[in-house]
Amino acid sequence: LIIMDLINRDEKVIAGIEKIRFFPVAPIGGDGCYIIEENGRRLLDFAGSWGAAGLGYSHPAITEAISQASKGMASVSLLSYASEPAIALAEELISIVPGNIPRKVWFGHSGSDANDMVVRLLEAATGRRRFISFYGAYHGGVSGSMSVSGHSSQTHSPKREGVVYLSYPNPYRSELEDNSPENILKKLDELFNTTCPPKEVAAVFIEPIQSDGGVIVPPSGFMKSLEKKCREHGILIVVDEVKVGLGRSGLMHAFEHDGLTPDIITFGKALGGGLPLSAVVGPAEIMDFAPAFSIMTASGNPVSVSAGRTVLKTIHNENLISNANIVGKSLQEGFRQLANKHELIGDVRGRGLAIGIELVKNRHKEKKAAKLETAKIVYRAYELGLIIFYVGMESNVLELTPPLIMNENESKLGLEILNQAFTDVSNGLVPDSVIEKYKGW
């Protein structure tokens, strides 16, 4: 199916014995919503490199921005110099965040370092050492951000002492007592009155859509009720927009769906247009708590931030928020129609172009996670020409985070491929052996 040279070389020199791979793809290029693998085959991309390719691949505006920025770099660091591109992007990020309190911006390289910085900053600035997070939360892959995450993929990482984990309310699993919004809020009250005095809690970390936990959309009103309880005790609201922000949900910010008023927002992935870039936007008095609180030499470098400025401009110029709404609704409707044909599809959910398809066995009874079948469908879709990944605490949720530029014809093609993949897996045409070497998520 492919020329294996890059795969073989990768296995010899790239660290991580069990890399998170789903199939043997080795891209050598990209074009719009397609990636091109080693043998020249074009693959439609429903994953967008985990959402980082928000404008797809080789977008001419990003290419031009990178080229121009690289030609006249005055420096590559914000540590000792003022940088016009970084200042301009900071101004633009502040301008798109609701509210008018004085804010400042910190730049990093990924959502992981952004959330890590927030953990350490808030502990120091507030004097409070505890945080509230959720089971299934994924806030990054470095020590600080991992310490407030609750995802099953990070069992190898020690958790931060004193972090309180709540269940993330899941309407599809509403029959479970722990998934009831009322019971979750009641549990928080009990914790505040017993083992977790609220005066010890610095902040709550919120994913407005729990992405890697299964693309779970919280029920209406829950997040606002949680915010109200935290406000009563001076607990700050941190919203992680890394994967679902910047237009993906059908609004500029995913937290706007829930009417949240965050104190601090973290951005990453799509912000860089494919380059390493993250940002934290927060109150000036907190962000300026101490000089050089979190410094990295190349953060805010002019090439990455110039790409970031172009991402924001392109989202506006090409009406990509509206496109996310239109194409996202079309995709969700398409999957609901597929559910009439394929018993494995238990739930279709999402906002805009952040969509989750939960695959289960016996969907009218116990709704048992269809882990093996999910992996096979992802693999078969790749064979048929579609890139899609799976997420979830039980690895049974197909995740769609395609480029925001995806059109309806491309989305329909992807649905056709997935329809065939479901059919082939259900007919036993995909053996267990083909997925044995792939770790997945």
Side-chain angles (χ1 to χ4, degrees):
L1 186 62
I2 68 167
I3 302 169
M4 296 295 291
D5 183 53
L6 285 179
I7 298 295
N8 293 332
R9 289 167 60 193
D10 173 271
E11 291 177 352
K12 291 179 181 178
V13 298
I14 301 298
I17 295 174
E18 294 182 320
K19 304 180 187 73
I20 301 177
R21 304 280 172 83
F22 297 80
F23 30 67
V25 66
I28 59 169
D31 175 26
C33 293
Y34 290 82
I35 64 173
I36 303 164
E37 64 180 337
E38 199 173 3
N39 62 355
R41 192 168 71 121
R42 291 166 61 86
L43 303 167
L44 181 62
D45 187 7
F46 264 16
S49 294
W50 295 106
L55 301 186
Y57 304 97
S58 306
H59 192 290
I62 296 292
T63 301
E64 176 65 15
I66 292 170
S67 175
Q68 291 302 317
S70 65
K71 288 178 180 178
M73 289 196 296
S75 73
V76 296
S77 176
L78 277 173
L79 297 189
S80 301
Y81 308 98
S83 168
E84 199 282 331
I87 294 167
L89 177 57
E91 292 169 341
E92 290 160 8
L93 285 169
I94 290 170
S95 75
I96 66 172
V97 171
N100 56 8
I101 66 169
R103 290 188 172 95
K104 290 194 175 181
V105 177
W106 173 93
F107 288 118
H109 304 304
S110 73
S112 295
D113 62 32
N115 286 316
D116 174 86
M117 182 269 193
V118 172
V119 170
R120 294 185 295 103
L121 174 66
L122 294 187
E123 180 179 3
T126 67
R128 301 180 176 192
R129 298 182 57 84
R130 305 187 72 170
F131 294 87
I132 300 169
S133 186
F134 290 90
Y135 294 111
Y138 187 92
H139 294 296
V142 295
S143 58
S145 53
M146 291 174 80
S147 73
V148 292
S149 297
H151 198 274
S152 55
S153 67
Q154 295 182 331
T155 54
H156 56 81
S157 175
K159 294 305 173 188
R160 186 182 185 86
E161 184 177 353
V163 174
V164 169
Y165 289 96
L166 302 175
S167 295
Y168 197 96
N170 184 349
Y172 182 59
R173 302 283 179 174
S174 59
E175 73 278 4
L176 301 177
E177 185 176 334
D178 287 348
N179 283 336
S180 160
E182 295 79 13
N183 287 337
I184 294 169
L185 294 172
K186 181 180 177 182
K187 176 66 173 179
L188 182 60
D189 286 335
E190 292 174 356
L191 290 167
F192 281 166
N193 290 325
T194 55
T195 59
C196 181
K199 65 181 180 180
E200 297 179 2
V201 180
V204 57
F205 273 77
I206 293 174
E207 290 177 283
I209 300 172
Q210 191 176 71
S211 305
D212 296 300
V215 198
I216 302 170
V217 179
S220 178
F222 172 78
M223 288 300 177
K224 196 64 180 175
S225 297
L226 175 63
E227 178 187 3
K228 183 176 183 294
K229 285 185 180 292
C230 290
R231 293 287 182 214
E232 292 170 355
H233 300 288
I235 297 171
L236 297 172
I237 310 299
V238 180
V239 175
D240 182 341
E241 291 271 317
V242 170
K243 199 171 190 180
V244 297
L246 298 179
R248 177 164 297 284
S249 72
L251 293 174
M252 177 57 80
H253 309 295
F255 65 78
E256 293 178 291
H257 291 277
D258 294 299
L260 290 174
T261 306
D263 296 292
I264 292 178
I265 307 166
T266 58
F267 297 100
K269 292 191 184 294
L271 179 62
L275 274 64
L277 178 64
S278 64
V280 178
V281 181
E285 62 181 355
I286 293 177
M287 302 295 283
D288 278 338
F289 170 72
F293 186 85
S294 181
I295 57 176
M296 291 178 287
T297 303
S299 62
N301 75 83
V303 176
S304 290
V305 297
S306 293
R309 294 190 67 195
T310 301
V311 167
L312 297 184
K313 185 182 298 183
T314 304
I315 289 172
H316 174 75
N317 289 347
E318 297 187 6
N319 297 315
L320 296 184
I321 296 176
S322 175
N323 189 65
N325 262 317
I326 294 169
V327 179
K329 287 178 181 176
S330 177
L331 276 167
Q332 287 203 47
E333 178 56 32
F335 275 108
R336 292 189 181 98
Q337 292 178 16
L338 288 185
N340 295 326
K341 300 172 60 177
H342 303 291
E343 283 288 319
L344 282 172
I345 298 178
D347 192 34
V348 179
R349 55 188 180 243
R351 284 174 171 157
L353 284 175
I355 299 171
I357 314 300
E358 184 160 353
L359 307 188
V360 297
K361 302 175 183 178
N362 300 320
R363 67 182 182 184
H364 300 296
K365 294 181 180 179
E366 66 266 29
K367 298 185 288 192
K368 182 179 179 182
K371 300 181 184 181
L372 183 65
E373 291 83 358
T374 303
K376 287 182 176 182
I377 286 166
V378 165
Y379 188 91
R380 181 59 178 146
Y382 157 71
E383 290 185 314
L384 295 171
L386 178 73
I387 296 294
I388 190 169
F389 300 146
Y390 58 78
V391 294
M393 296 287 275
E394 296 191 78
S395 302
N396 70 314
V397 180
L398 298 176
E399 181 190 56
L400 280 73
T401 53
L404 301 185
I405 61 171
M406 179 164 284
N407 61 45
E408 290 196 72
N409 287 335
E410 290 165 331
S411 71
K412 289 176 182 177
L413 173 59
L415 286 168
E416 291 171 5
I417 292 173
L418 281 168
N419 178 44
Q420 187 63 53
F422 273 99
T423 299
D424 292 349
V425 169
S426 297
N427 289 337
L429 301 181
V430 183
D432 295 358
S433 58
V434 300
I435 62 170
E436 286 177 354
K437 68 178 292 185
Y438 299 107
K439 174 73 173 176
W441 182 239

